[in-house]
Each structure stands twice: as structure tokens, then as C-alpha cells.
Amino acid sequence: MAYSDKVLDHYENPRNVGSLDKNDPHVGTGMVGAPACGDVMKLMIKVNDNGIIEDAKFKTYGCGSAIASSSLVTEWLKGRTIEEAYAIKNSEIAEELALPPVKIHCSVLAEDAIKAAVADIKAKQAAKAEA
Amino acid sequence: MQNTPINYFELFAIAEQFDLDETTLESNFRKTQSANHPDRFISAPASEKLVAMQLATLANEAYSVLKSPAKRAKYMLEQHSIDAIADTNTAMPAEFLMQQMEWRERIEDAKMARNIAELDEIAGELKLETNSLINELHELLDIKKDLTSATAVTRKLIFIDKVCADIDQVIEQLDD
């Protein structure tokens, strides 16, 4: 299958690959998976006290489109609030990368990874507020 | 036969359960293939030839599904209108995904280091995990009829199958 130039660019030069300290109270982790392809995606975001995402890292095992989708969202996430991050739709990711219909699920995976990471940081903040 | 899909288990006259007898499946598959072999229909009317050909194709598909535990479980869930690998369902237990990630990282490291012993070791761990998931599926699908839990386990098994296929490929590449 032919990948779009943008997918190839992210696939060949993935941005922000790696991890953040998962024990840092400012770091939220989202892990999701798609059995159909065996894709696993881990997205970590570092959120400051104003609710702004300062850093984002990912690690994805999967096809080029899954890697490109996660690489792209780490770029998008930096500087956004967690509310803005939560509002990112898979259709925006698919459109930006020109994903073909059979690869739309990769963008769904990326959207769900963001939502999982945001949920994780919110849970951490709530736990801290209670403590 | 186009109107009502033929149940794969019925096609081979075996009980519709996850824990199936592979020997019976294999032998009934061979019988079906032989009964519908094109050689038997050389002088038959075109309509009969067509039906035999369709049955042979269906039998191939059915056999490939039933002999694989992951595909068999997925198929059994489909009979209850459950799509185990729906695109919209990306939630998996975190510890399972961590384990997946860890296996993937170890496979990648072993591939770089051309460490076949490590790859065999991982393949062994995957085999153990596969067997335990198969036991769980037998219990959930055949005994407890707990389709929700069975769906979760089927998703895991499909994941593990994919890692197994990938590891086999890596071992093959390194062997060359």
C-alpha cells in the first residue's frame, strides 16, 4: 500500500519517541491496543500546573500509519491544554496524514491514547487534591 | 447457499464448541474436500460443478478458521453478533499492554543482537500464554457461556498470535 508523504515523513523521522517518568505526578500515561493489527501505543504527556501540556512522548509498535499517527499527535499536543488535547478527533489526524480507509483505525488508536493519557493525569491530579 | 451462511461447525458435522477435536476436524475437512473435488464433477451439469466448487472454497475457509483457536473464538463470537476486534474498541487491560510492549522491546533487542536463543525463549513464553488463554476460552465459551469475558480473552489471543507470527518472521530472517 502506498503511504502518503506525511505518513512516510513521520514514519522515517518519528518525533518525540521515548518515555517520560511515569511516577512524576505531572505525567499522564495512555496505553491502548488494536488486536486487528497487533498495534500497541503508549503516549505520555507532561502537564504543568496551568493544565498546559509541556512535553509529549510516544512509543508505538505497529504499522507505519500507527507510528505516524502517534508521532503527529505528540507534535500537536505540546502547548495545548488538556481540554484541547481531549477534543482532538481521529478524523483530524486521518485527514492530516491522508490515511486510507483501511488505516483509519490507526488514528482512532491515537485519539484513544490521548484520551487515556488525559484521564490518567486527571486521576493523578484528583488523587493529589484529596491527599 | 448464498442466502443463509453455512455454519462452519455444521459443515464438518462437529459440535459447535471451542474445545474441538482437531483430528475429527481434519478428517472431516479432507472428506468434504474429496467429496467436492472437481475431478468428481467432470461430466456433471454446470450447476452441480458450481455448487461443488463453492462448497470446496467454503470448506477451505471454514477449516482455516476452525483450526486456529484465535480465529475459532472470534468466529464463535461473530455467531452472537460480537465483533471482537472492532476498530472502535482500543481499550485493553493496562498490564496486558505493558506485557505486549515488553515482548516487542525484547524482540527488537534480540533481533538487533541476532540473539536467536532469546527469541526462542520469548516464543516459549508466548506459547505458555497462548495455552493459558485457550484454557480460559474453553471455560468461558463452552462451560460458562460468558461472552463478554470471552471477547476480552479472544482479543488477547489475537494479539499474542500476531506477536508469534512476527517472532517467527524475525527468526526466519535471522536464519537466512
Side-chain angles (χ1 to χ4, degrees):
Chain A
M1 162 171 16
Y3 283 122
S4 71
D5 290 346
K6 278 184 181 158
V7 169
L8 282 176
D9 179 34
H10 278 281
Y11 178 65
E12 283 164 5
N13 311 292
R15 328 303 195 248
N16 310 307
V17 175
S19 291
L20 299 167
D21 177 10
K22 71 171 180 337
N23 297 318
D24 183 337
H26 289 95
V27 170
T29 307
M31 278 198 79
V32 290
C37 301
D39 294 344
V40 197
M41 192 178 282
K42 181 170 76 174
L43 177 70
M44 301 182 97
I45 52 173
K46 184 168 187 172
V47 182
N48 69 18
D49 291 331
N50 301 320
I52 310 276
I53 297 170
E54 290 182 334
D55 200 4
K57 298 271 184 207
F58 84 95
K59 193 150 201 185
T60 292
Y61 285 92
C63 65
S65 302
I67 290 167
S69 296
S70 29
S71 171
L72 174 72
V73 298
T74 55
E75 282 196 321
W76 280 2
L77 289 174
K78 289 187 196 180
R80 293 200 193 193
T81 65
I82 51 174
E83 283 74 23
E84 286 166 349
Y86 199 83
I88 292 175
K89 292 270 175 299
N90 84 285
S91 51
E92 299 168 51
I93 302 165
E95 192 180 336
E96 174 70 17
L97 295 172
L99 296 180
V102 291
K103 290 292 176 186
I104 297 297
H105 67 270
C106 298
S107 62
V108 174
L109 206 57
E111 179 191 324
D112 288 357
I114 299 173
K115 290 197 161 48
V118 170
D120 186 49
I121 192 74
K122 283 192 170 168
K124 273 190 180 178
Q125 287 169 344
K128 203 170 82 177
E130 269 174 37
Chain B
M1 62 180 273
Q2 286 90 342
N3 298 332
T4 32
I6 294 177
N7 181 289
Y8 291 173
F9 291 93
E10 277 174 33
L11 184 68
F12 300 127
I14 49 179
E16 183 159 356
Q17 55 177 40
F18 180 74
D19 191 24
L20 55 71
D21 176 8
E22 282 171 28
T23 322
T24 313
L25 171 66
E26 163 101 30
S27 101
N28 289 4
F29 166 63
R30 303 277 165 228
K31 277 182 214 159
T32 310
Q33 285 310 69
S34 141
N36 294 296
H37 197 277
D39 286 354
R40 289 180 183 265
F41 293 87
I42 290 170
S43 52
S47 60
E48 279 182 33
K49 271 186 193 161
L50 183 66
V51 169
M53 196 190 73
Q54 285 173 333
L55 277 172
T57 309
L58 182 72
N60 273 327
E61 167 66 16
Y63 179 66
S64 81
V65 167
L66 294 189
K67 78 172 178 192
S68 145
K71 289 182 186 169
R72 184 162 75 238
K74 179 172 169 284
Y75 176 76
M76 289 180 73
L77 292 166
E78 277 165 14
Q79 303 309 299
H80 296 277
S81 308
I82 297 172
D83 178 4
I85 58 165
D87 285 351
T88 47
N89 184 357
T90 61
M92 302 278 299
E95 66 276 24
F96 178 78
L97 291 174
M98 291 301 281
Q99 170 79 76
Q100 285 287 313
M101 205 57 111
E102 195 188 295
W103 270 322
R104 293 285 179 187
E105 282 166 3
R106 281 172 62 196
I107 292 170
E108 208 172 58
D109 291 347
K111 186 183 172 184
M112 298 292 268
R114 307 186 62 83
N115 185 346
I116 301 221
E118 165 75 353
L119 290 168
D120 284 339
E121 164 83 26
I122 302 168
E125 288 173 29
L126 289 166
K127 183 77 195 147
L128 283 179
E129 179 71 16
T130 300
N131 289 342
S132 113
L133 293 175
I134 286 174
N135 286 336
E136 275 184 65
L137 278 175
H138 165 51
E139 178 146 335
L140 291 169
L141 285 169
D142 298 341
I143 300 163
K144 292 186 180 159
K145 316 272 184 207
D146 177 351
L147 298 181
T148 309
S149 306
T151 303
V153 177
T154 302
R155 290 168 63 82
K156 287 186 180 177
L157 189 56
I158 293 170
F159 248 103
I160 302 273
D161 258 18
K162 183 76 173 65
V163 186
C164 288
D166 290 350
I167 208 168
D168 285 349
Q169 210 186 346
V170 171
I171 291 175
E172 226 170 80
Q173 277 172 3
L174 291 181
D175 272 344
D176 285 343

